[in-house]
Amino acid sequence: MASNQQTRPGIGELAKDTVRGRIGVVMGELGGRVHLRPIGGGKEWEAVPETVKAPSTREELSARLAVRNSNSRYGL
C-alpha cells in the first residue's frame, strides 16, 4: 500500500461519514456499504466506503463529549 493511502477504520472503531458529517462506530461492511452506529447508540446508517475515514482527534473528542453531555442531562 502506498504511504499516502489511508486505511478505513475497522469494526468497533470510530469513523466519520464525510457525506453526512456524522461520526459513528463501524459495525461491519455488507453489500459494498459500511454500516455505522451512533456512539451513544441508535439506528445504524450506511455509507459508501470511499466516504468513510478516521475522525480527527478533535472530531472524536467532540463526539464523545456530546454523548456524555446528553447522558448527564438524562441522568445516565
Side-chain angles (χ1 to χ4, degrees):
M1 176 164 37
S3 61
N4 64 346
Q5 289 181 323
Q6 294 181 351
T7 59
R8 194 168 51 247
I11 294 174
E13 296 180 329
L14 288 182
K16 180 177 181 181
D17 176 351
T18 59
V19 171
R20 290 180 177 84
R22 295 177 67 188
I23 294 177
V25 179
V26 176
M27 302 306 291
E29 192 169 337
L30 182 66
R33 302 277 191 213
V34 176
H35 293 255
L36 299 153
R37 181 174 301 243
I39 297 173
K43 186 176 179 182
E44 287 185 15
W45 77 93
E46 296 179 350
V48 177
E50 293 78 24
T51 65
V52 174
K53 67 174 193 163
S56 69
T57 302
R58 182 181 186 131
E59 290 169 328
E60 180 177 343
L61 289 172
S62 178
R64 288 186 188 278
L65 181 60
V67 170
R68 192 165 179 101
N69 285 339
S70 177
N71 288 344
S72 70
R73 276 188 225 109
Y74 298 107
L76 300 175

